[in-house]
Amino acid sequence: MANAEKEYMEARTKRTQRKNKILALVSLVSFAGSGLFTVVPALQKALSQDTTLQAAASAETISLQKQRQGYELVLQREPNNKVALEGLVKVRLQLKDGDGAIAALEKLKQSHPEREDYKIALEDLKKRFGKSDE
């Protein structure tokens, strides 16, 4: 009888260990699954925000280019239009077109030699974009 009890206890221990392993595996799979339900939407949101930011930057660039074209059209009719030249300088700076901004600011300075702020701004721009007076 002692032998039968020993075999029964060993079989019961093995079943308990097997149940524990299965329970641990199910728990691990459940934890990983619930983590996926949290991580995947967060990743999708991050990716969509990145796409949205790129689209917004692209739309802003297009808008700035249209503004630049508008100022250039005005300057074709009125080459010394102060408002159009100032707007063109600002837009070209936003578009990171340093040479274009310097050219427009030089034209402003020539058209309005009494304006010290144009001279100072032109010097600052030339320093910023590495251009020297010739």
Side-chain angles (χ1 to χ4, degrees):
M1 188 143 181
N3 202 12
E5 280 183 34
K6 189 176 181 183
E7 287 177 12
Y8 170 76
M9 290 303 286
E10 286 176 8
R12 184 175 175 178
T13 304
K14 286 181 183 179
R15 273 185 273 151
T16 304
Q17 287 175 347
R18 191 176 322 129
K19 286 179 185 177
N20 286 342
K21 286 180 183 179
I22 291 172
L23 182 62
L25 182 62
V26 168
S27 298
L28 183 63
V29 169
S30 298
F31 178 73
S34 66
L36 283 176
F37 283 113
T38 304
V39 171
V40 169
L43 288 175
Q44 287 175 336
K45 184 178 179 182
L47 291 174
S48 70
Q49 284 178 345
D50 187 39
T51 305
T52 304
L53 290 176
Q54 288 175 351
S58 177
E60 183 180 355
T61 301
I62 291 170
S63 172
L64 289 171
Q65 289 173 345
K66 286 182 180 180
Q67 288 178 24
R68 178 184 50 96
Q69 289 172 347
Y71 288 129
E72 288 171 348
L73 283 173
V74 170
L75 290 171
Q76 286 176 0
R77 290 181 302 220
E78 303 173 43
N80 293 326
N81 185 311
K82 183 176 110 175
V83 174
L85 283 168
E86 287 176 350
L88 186 60
V89 169
K90 290 178 184 175
V91 169
R92 284 184 173 169
L93 284 174
Q94 289 174 330
L95 289 170
K96 296 177 178 46
D97 177 14
D99 292 337
I102 289 172
L105 197 50
E106 283 176 341
K107 193 167 186 177
L108 259 175
K109 181 183 150 195
Q110 290 172 357
S111 300
H112 304 281
E114 71 281 355
R115 296 280 306 260
E116 286 295 318
D117 57 331
Y118 292 154
K119 293 175 187 173
I120 293 169
L122 183 59
E123 290 173 11
D124 288 344
L125 269 182
K126 285 183 177 182
K127 286 179 187 174
R128 192 162 109 188
F129 289 100
K131 305 290 181 186
S132 60
D133 286 330
E134 296 162 6

